[in-house]
Amino acid sequence: MDLFTLLISSPLVWVTIIVLYTLKKGIHFVPQNRGYVIYTLGKYDKTLKAGLNFIIPFIQSVAADRNLKEQSLDIMSQSAITRDNITLGIDGILFMKVTDAAAATNNINDYKMAVTQLAMTTMRNAIGSLELDECFQNRDLINTKILGAMTEATGPWGVMVTRYEIKDIIPPQSIREDMEK
């Protein structure tokens, strides 16, 4: 018998491989500004914080890896109708961060898409309550209004909206020509 066959047939080698694999599955190094959501037998158990962490292999598993840093989401251009029935093209940028990795995993399916959709509808509502002149003069008011509504709605999702900024407000061509005159 050669050495390779002897090693493969040895129970001690197999036990060593299984023990090392089990140890590898149970040790997790969580990077800074990350949160690992742990499920025990399919049920939420805890969230691992940054540093060295241990879990029970094959019983516990990492269900999600959440980024806890502030992130920016681009809110694509959309149409919004002002109170005086003028259609504007409007887009923005949203800054948010996950404050509770477990809630962002368990309470909502896709928190980034949900926050983006909520920002779009809130932006249309805020524009709809103002007249055209107010939209151009009160960008800060619109941003504050959107931020307030978003903060209240995203709390149960474990997400905190830190800032909202309108990038562009584009009036229809006819209004632009009138404004230039």
Side-chain angles (χ1 to χ4, degrees):
M1 276 181 143
D2 64 349
L3 182 63
F4 181 71
T5 309
L6 185 64
L7 286 175
I8 289 183
S9 63
S10 170
L12 183 60
V13 171
W14 287 108
V15 169
T16 304
I17 290 171
I18 291 170
V19 167
L20 289 175
Y21 179 73
T22 303
L23 282 173
K24 183 184 178 315
K25 295 275 293 172
I27 299 172
H28 288 278
F29 294 99
V30 179
Q32 189 69 32
N33 291 318
R34 304 298 288 190
Y36 287 8
V37 178
I38 302 298
Y39 281 9
T40 301
L41 299 174
K43 182 181 176 196
Y44 171 74
D45 184 36
K46 61 185 172 183
T47 302
L48 300 181
K49 304 291 183 203
L52 178 64
N53 294 276
F54 300 96
I55 65 170
I56 303 167
F58 310 111
I59 306 280
Q60 295 179 320
S61 63
V62 177
D65 171 9
R66 296 290 177 223
N67 184 354
L68 303 178
K69 293 180 186 177
E70 187 169 6
Q71 304 168 52
S72 64
L73 298 175
D74 190 36
I75 308 301
M76 63 183 157
S77 184
Q78 61 179 330
S79 295
I81 300 172
T82 63
R83 189 171 49 188
D84 49 353
N85 291 325
I86 297 172
T87 302
L88 300 174
I90 188 165
D91 63 355
I93 188 161
L94 176 100
F95 297 91
M96 53 141 258
K97 70 187 288 183
V98 174
T99 56
D100 183 355
T105 302
N106 297 323
N107 294 351
I108 191 145
N109 193 28
D110 183 356
Y111 69 91
K112 285 184 180 180
M113 189 213 34
V115 168
T116 302
Q117 294 296 318
L118 182 61
M120 292 170 77
T121 58
T122 306
M123 187 167 49
R124 280 194 302 268
N125 288 342
I127 295 297
S129 67
L130 300 171
E131 292 186 1
L132 178 64
D133 292 340
E134 295 172 317
C135 291
F136 289 113
Q137 295 169 359
N138 298 323
R139 279 188 181 210
D140 289 338
L141 174 71
I142 297 169
N143 292 339
T144 304
K145 202 183 259 193
I146 293 170
L147 182 63
M150 300 267 319
T151 301
E152 183 180 328
T154 59
W157 300 340
V159 175
M160 178 176 73
V161 177
T162 56
R163 262 189 344 249
Y164 184 87
E165 296 291 331
I166 292 176
K167 288 196 294 188
D168 285 322
I169 299 176
I170 303 165
Q173 184 65 31
S174 60
I175 301 289
R176 272 187 283 189
E177 290 170 359
D178 289 344
M179 290 169 74
E180 288 172 5
K181 292 178 184 174

